[in-house]
């Protein structure tokens, strides 16, 4: 555009200069043609800079809207990760902790739970692609990993609950009441070696997975918040306080 403007001005001035040298239309040039050319050039320049400012204004507006959208999506991700953490912490508090110290019998006395829906809390990863522009290029992948870790926790909890329901039925058929005094030998004989060992292993896996996921969930929440704050220093982001 600048080149065309310079070319246009030079072309017009060249024609006018030629006319002046020949002594033709000098009065017309001074009284009519020159002011018209000046007006035309002024209008052209004004239109150019007006369009430039309008384009910059629209660009700045889109950047601001994109920034606001990213701040909202970042806070949504923090909130959803907190919901995942809260759910696992509640399971840990209500189901695991009361029996944590009873390692030898925890597999049978730790109660089963109704099937948990692993898709009730889902992160919208496509809304977090802007994190690829942050100073931590691996953060998005780590967030995806935490979502998978959460789903795996619910999978092993559900699987262990299925084994536990099966064990309850076998114990009842063999006259052993759950949560009463009975020996491990009696339990093993009633359940059979396969289910006995499977339930033990599943219970151990549940405890390890839940404890680990809670720890890494908390870490990724804080890491995400710090990264968002660096990316948008004037943005307001949720600060999570978990109970000890």
């Amino acid at each position: 555009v600048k080149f065309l403007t310079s070319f246009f001005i030079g072309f017009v001035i060249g024609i006018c200069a030629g006319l002046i040298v020949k002594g033709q239309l000098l009065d017309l040039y001074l009284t009519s043609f020159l002011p018209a050319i000046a007006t035309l050039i002024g209008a052209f320049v004004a239109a150019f800079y007006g369009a430039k400012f309008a384009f910059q204004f629209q660009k700045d507006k889109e950047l601001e809207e994109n920034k606001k959208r990213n701040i909202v999506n970042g806070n949504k991700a923090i909130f959803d990760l907190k919901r995942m953490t809260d759910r696992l912490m509640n399971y840990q508090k209500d189901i695991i902790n009361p029996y944590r110290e009873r390692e030898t019998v925890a597999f049978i006395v730790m109660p089963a739970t109704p099937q948990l829906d692993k898709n009730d809390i889902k992160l919208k990863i496509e809304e977090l692609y802007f994190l690829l522009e942050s100073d931590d290029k691996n953060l998005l992948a780590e967030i995806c990993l935490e979502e998978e870790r959460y789903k795996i926790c619910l999978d092993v909890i559900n699987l262990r609950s299925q084994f536990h329901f099966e064990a309850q039925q076998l114990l009842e058929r063999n006259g052993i009441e759950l949560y009463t005094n009975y020996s491990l030998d009696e339990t093993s004989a009633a359940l059979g070696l396969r289910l006995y060992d499977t339930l033990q292993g599943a219970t151990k896996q549940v405890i390890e997975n839940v404890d680990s996921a809670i720890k890494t969930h908390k870490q990724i929440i804080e890491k995400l918040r710090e990264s968002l704050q660096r990316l948008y220093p004037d943005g307001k982001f949720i600060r999570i306080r978990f109970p000890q």
Side-chain angles (χ1 to χ4, degrees):
V1 175
K2 291 182 178 180
F3 171 78
L4 292 175
T5 303
S6 300
F7 177 81
F8 176 74
I9 294 174
F11 177 76
V12 172
I13 292 177
I15 293 175
C16 295
L19 292 173
I20 293 173
V21 169
K22 291 183 177 181
Q24 299 175 3
L25 304 176
L26 180 59
D27 290 340
L28 180 62
Y29 174 76
L30 293 176
T31 59
S32 300
F33 191 58
L34 185 59
I37 291 298
T39 301
L40 182 61
I41 292 174
F44 184 81
V45 171
F48 167 72
Y49 282 104
K52 179 180 179 181
F53 290 142
F55 174 78
Q56 188 62 45
F57 176 79
Q58 183 62 30
K59 182 179 179 181
D60 291 343
K61 182 180 178 182
E62 290 175 357
L63 288 174
E64 183 64 23
E65 290 175 350
N66 190 56
K67 172 185 171 182
K68 291 179 180 178
R69 182 166 53 253
N70 290 345
I71 290 174
V72 170
N73 290 336
N75 275 314
K76 283 168 58 181
I78 292 175
F79 180 70
D80 286 337
L81 286 166
K82 179 185 182 300
R83 290 173 61 206
M84 294 178 184
T85 311
D86 286 342
R87 189 175 193 185
L88 294 181
M89 288 181 68
N90 287 334
Y91 182 89
Q92 182 189 63
K93 176 175 69 72
D94 297 336
I95 306 299
I96 296 177
N97 287 347
Y99 309 100
R100 190 184 291 276
E101 303 303 322
R102 303 173 63 184
E103 294 183 8
T104 56
V105 296
F107 75 102
I108 196 66
V109 296
M110 198 173 90
T113 59
Q115 293 292 292
L116 305 177
D117 183 3
K118 67 181 181 181
N119 294 313
D120 65 335
I121 306 173
K122 297 182 67 174
L123 296 173
K124 294 185 177 180
I125 299 301
E126 66 276 6
E127 294 181 350
L128 300 175
Y129 287 159
F130 69 91
L131 291 176
L132 296 173
E133 302 172 6
S134 69
D135 54 2
D136 188 347
K137 306 301 182 185
N138 294 323
L139 181 57
L140 186 61
E142 292 175 9
I143 292 172
C144 293
L145 179 62
E146 290 308 309
E147 184 177 29
E148 287 304 310
R149 197 189 303 271
Y150 168 77
K151 292 179 179 179
I152 290 172
C153 279
L154 298 193
D155 279 339
V156 296
I157 288 172
N158 289 335
L159 186 60
R160 190 244 168 210
S161 292
Q162 291 175 16
F163 292 141
H164 197 274
F165 286 132
E166 183 181 348
Q168 287 181 40
Q169 294 173 359
L170 287 173
L171 289 174
E172 290 172 1
R173 282 204 294 267
N174 285 273
I176 300 176
E177 295 183 11
L178 203 60
Y179 312 120
T180 60
N181 292 327
Y182 48 85
S183 69
L184 292 179
D185 288 339
E186 289 176 311
T187 304
S188 178
L191 299 182
L193 187 59
R194 179 193 63 81
L195 183 56
Y196 185 90
D197 288 345
T198 300
L199 186 55
Q200 273 191 326
T203 302
K204 182 179 179 181
Q205 190 177 16
V206 165
I207 295 172
E208 290 177 351
N209 275 272
V210 170
D211 288 348
S212 175
I214 289 173
K215 180 180 178 181
T216 55
H217 282 8
K218 289 179 179 179
Q219 291 172 346
I220 202 66
I221 287 172
E222 188 58 29
K223 189 174 183 180
L224 173 58
R225 186 184 184 281
E226 290 175 356
S227 182
L228 288 168
Q229 200 69 75
R230 288 194 299 271
L231 198 58
Y232 301 112
D234 57 341
K236 296 185 181 299
F237 298 100
I238 302 171
R239 184 179 295 277
I240 305 299
R241 301 292 186 187
F242 288 105
Q244 296 297 321

